[in-house]
Amino acid sequence: MPGRAREDRIDIAILAAARELLDENGYAELSIGGVAARAGLHRPAIYRRWPSKRHLVVDVVADLLGLQPTPDTGDLRADLTVAMRNLVAALRDTSLSRVLPALVADLANDQDLRAHFLATVFEPRRHSTAIALRSAIRRGEIDPNTDLDFVLDAVVSPIYYRALFGHLPLTDHLADQSVDAVLRAIVR
């Protein structure tokens, strides 16, 4: 459909403009007007797609984090390590470490935004990792009584903690440590 391709191009242009402005000026300075100007569009074109700047930023965060699934190669440690290193790289090598704390603060006071974030960013990544964990259970690699929700929280928590507070660097070693700590608790 010719109209749909045009819509996709507009979405891509808006997301790219928002990402550039977040990289340059940060979350607080981002405005729909600025994004529209950078994308060569009018503000209504953005508001037809996103109800607010914060909703747009959620989609930029999803784009920056990537929605690549956690691999499921049959080697749980390798699969989780790849996923956690990808998360570390996204948080370390993009504007996410500056954007995420402000966005998380906004999630606390806006249930619609929180629902959008959970559906767009949180759940797809979590679901992907859960698939790899369930495969490991089927292979007998981890205890079938493992609390998967706890494991899913535990493996990413140190990474997000450092991203939110910035008290220590985000490194591949941190990703490896996170995976190893969780696996020590669940591997048979």
Side-chain angles (χ1 to χ4, degrees):
M1 295 164 71
R4 186 64 192 149
R6 182 174 163 218
E7 295 289 324
D8 288 344
R9 282 194 306 273
I10 292 171
D11 293 351
I12 291 166
I14 292 167
L15 289 168
R19 181 178 179 169
E20 290 169 9
L21 291 169
L22 285 168
D23 288 346
E24 292 169 16
N25 305 317
Y27 182 80
E29 299 300 317
L30 186 73
S31 70
I32 294 296
V35 172
R38 177 68 60 100
L41 300 165
H42 298 286
R43 282 188 277 191
I46 297 172
Y47 283 119
R48 279 193 295 274
R49 291 161 175 80
W50 291 277
S52 72
K53 153 187 140 170
R54 296 175 312 195
H55 287 81
L56 172 58
V57 170
V58 167
D59 286 2
V60 172
V61 167
D63 188 47
L64 288 170
L65 281 175
L67 296 176
Q68 290 179 320
T70 298
D72 187 10
T73 66
D75 181 343
L76 183 60
R77 184 185 187 290
D79 294 343
L80 291 176
T81 298
V82 165
M84 294 309 108
R85 283 185 175 204
N86 286 341
L87 176 61
V88 163
L91 290 165
R92 178 190 59 216
D93 301 340
T94 70
S95 61
L96 275 177
S97 62
R98 292 187 334 266
V99 170
L100 200 57
L103 180 60
V104 168
D106 282 347
L107 295 177
N109 297 315
D110 185 333
Q111 290 305 310
D112 179 56
L113 181 66
R114 183 176 180 277
H116 180 60
F117 179 84
L118 290 174
T120 305
V121 177
F122 188 80
E123 291 301 332
R125 295 184 64 79
R126 188 175 178 90
H127 176 73
S128 167
T129 305
I131 289 170
L133 289 168
R134 285 188 195 99
S135 290
I137 288 171
R138 283 192 299 279
R139 290 190 305 270
E141 200 172 336
I142 61 176
D143 184 343
N145 297 316
T146 298
D147 180 346
L148 290 186
D149 285 325
F150 178 79
V151 171
L152 291 166
D153 289 345
V155 73
V156 298
S157 292
I159 297 165
Y160 280 117
Y161 190 81
R162 285 196 188 176
L164 289 172
F165 295 103
H167 62 291
L168 291 169
L170 288 161
T171 64
D172 286 344
H173 181 65
L174 172 65
D176 298 348
Q177 285 180 303
S178 296
V179 169
D180 289 341
V182 166
L183 290 180
R184 276 194 295 276
I186 65 170
V187 170
R188 288 183 150 179

